Amino acid sequence: MVTATFRFYDELGDFLPRERRGRDFSSPCARAASVKHMVEAVGVPHTEVGLILVDGESSGFERLLEEGDRVAVYPAFSTLDVTALTRVPRLSPGEQQAPPRFVADAHLGGLARLLRMAGFDTLYDNHYGDDEIVAIAADEDRVVLTRDRELLKRRAVVQGCYLHAIKPAEQFRELYDRLALAASARPFSLCLHCNLALRAVDKALVLDALPPSVRELHDEFHTCDACRRVFWKGSHHKRMCALLDAVAGAARVTEGGAA
C-alpha cells in the first residue's frame, strides 16, 4: 500500500463526504492504483474531471500513484483557464466545433424533451439500459446525461455530465450553463417526441388535425414526418420561450454581460 493526499476543487466537492470537502485528505492506495481508480474510488466520476495535477504536474488518469503523491483534481467545467495544462480530453464550454449531441438515461425524460425543444439532438428511451447508453455514446460521439455516477465511471464513457439538479427545468438550466449551450441553440427545430427535424407545413394540409380553436387563432404550423404530430405557437410555446429566455439571460450574467 501507498498513501497519497488528495484535494478536489469547486463542485467536485459535492461528490465527497462533507468532511472531505474543501480540504486536503490522505487515502491509502493499492500499489498498482491509477489516478482514475482512486478518483472514482472516493466518489468522483472521471467525466467530471478536467484537470489533474500530481505534485504540481499535469497528469492523465492512467498514472500510477506513488507514496507521498499530492493529487489536485479540478472539474471539467471550471472557470479556471487550464487549456495549456490539461491532458484529460473533455467537452468544455465554448469549445465545441458543432453543437453537442446527447443521450439521456431512463430517468431524464423531462430533460431530454427540454433539450430537444432548444434544438439539441438528444436520444432518450426509458427502456435504455446502461450498456446500451454506453454503446450509443461511443458509436455516435454523444454526451451521456445521467444522475447515476456509477454509469459515468465506466471507462468507455468519454464525455458525460452528472446532473445535480432533480427537476427537469433546473437540470436544463444547469446543463445550459455548464456547456454554454446558448450560442448553439436552435429552438423549436426538432420534434419533442421523435428528435427529428421539423418542417413548415401549409395550414390547409393539417386542417383536419387541428382543434377548432387552433384553426381560428393560428396560421403557422410545423410537422414531424415521422410521428405526424403538428406544432403551433400556443401557450406551451410561450412557456418554453420564457424558459429559454431565462436560461440565456442567466448565462449572459454568468459571462459578465448584461441580462
Side-chain angles (χ1 to χ4, degrees):
M1 299 286 286
V2 299
T3 299
T5 300
F6 296 85
R7 174 71 178 267
F8 290 82
Y9 288 86
D10 299 332
E11 61 265 29
L12 294 183
D14 295 340
F15 293 100
L16 305 177
R18 190 172 300 277
E19 65 272 13
R20 288 184 165 182
R21 297 175 186 174
R23 61 183 294 271
D24 295 355
F25 62 90
S26 295
S27 179
C29 317
R31 285 198 176 277
S34 66
V35 170
K36 179 181 185 297
H37 173 82
M38 288 307 301
V39 165
E40 295 189 328
V42 301
V44 179
H46 69 270
T47 56
E48 303 300 295
V49 175
L51 173 68
I52 302 164
L53 300 179
V54 179
D55 295 333
E57 296 182 355
S58 182
S59 170
F61 281 121
E62 302 310 314
R63 176 167 175 165
L64 300 183
L65 292 169
E66 299 178 357
E67 178 66 34
D69 277 348
R70 300 186 65 84
V71 184
V73 187
Y74 296 86
F77 311 104
S78 173
T79 55
L80 178 68
D81 184 7
V82 296
T83 305
L85 295 174
T86 183
R87 297 178 186 174
V88 180
R90 289 289 173 266
L91 183 68
S92 298
E95 293 183 0
Q96 304 96 319
Q97 297 301 310
R101 301 188 302 162
F102 303 101
V103 55
D105 79 8
H107 303 288
L108 298 179
L111 173 61
R113 185 179 174 88
L114 291 175
L115 285 168
R116 291 172 180 175
M117 175 266 293
F120 294 98
D121 180 347
T122 306
L123 295 184
Y124 168 80
D125 188 313
N126 61 6
H127 295 106
Y128 279 162
D130 287 356
D131 290 344
E132 189 171 5
I133 289 172
V134 172
I136 290 171
D139 292 344
E140 302 183 19
D141 191 27
R142 291 180 181 270
V143 182
V144 175
L145 304 178
T146 184
R147 280 186 43 78
D148 178 1
R149 67 176 78 181
E150 296 304 315
L151 174 57
L152 294 180
K153 290 179 182 180
R154 294 198 180 196
R155 187 175 297 274
V157 177
V158 176
Q159 297 185 137
C161 286
Y162 178 88
L163 279 306
H164 295 268
I166 304 296
K167 296 181 179 179
E170 294 172 359
Q171 292 169 342
F172 182 63
R173 291 187 180 95
E174 179 183 343
L175 195 63
Y176 225 73
D177 181 51
R178 290 174 72 184
L179 296 185
L181 295 180
S184 50
R186 297 177 296 116
F188 312 111
S189 61
L190 297 178
C191 177
L192 304 185
H193 305 273
C194 300
N195 195 47
L196 298 177
L198 296 176
R199 64 175 178 86
V201 62
D202 188 88
K203 182 177 181 178
L205 297 177
V206 295
L207 203 59
D208 292 343
L210 304 177
S213 60
V214 174
R215 295 179 196 171
E216 296 176 9
L217 297 175
H218 299 277
D219 294 305
E220 182 181 337
F221 299 91
H222 288 77
T223 188
C224 171
D225 289 330
C227 68
R228 303 296 182 183
R229 285 180 170 85
V230 179
F231 299 86
W232 59 89
K233 295 180 180 179
S235 57
H236 188 52
H237 180 274
K238 293 179 181 178
R239 289 194 295 272
M240 290 191 290
C241 283
L243 177 58
L244 282 170
D245 288 344
V247 294
R252 288 194 294 270
V253 170
T254 301
E255 292 165 5

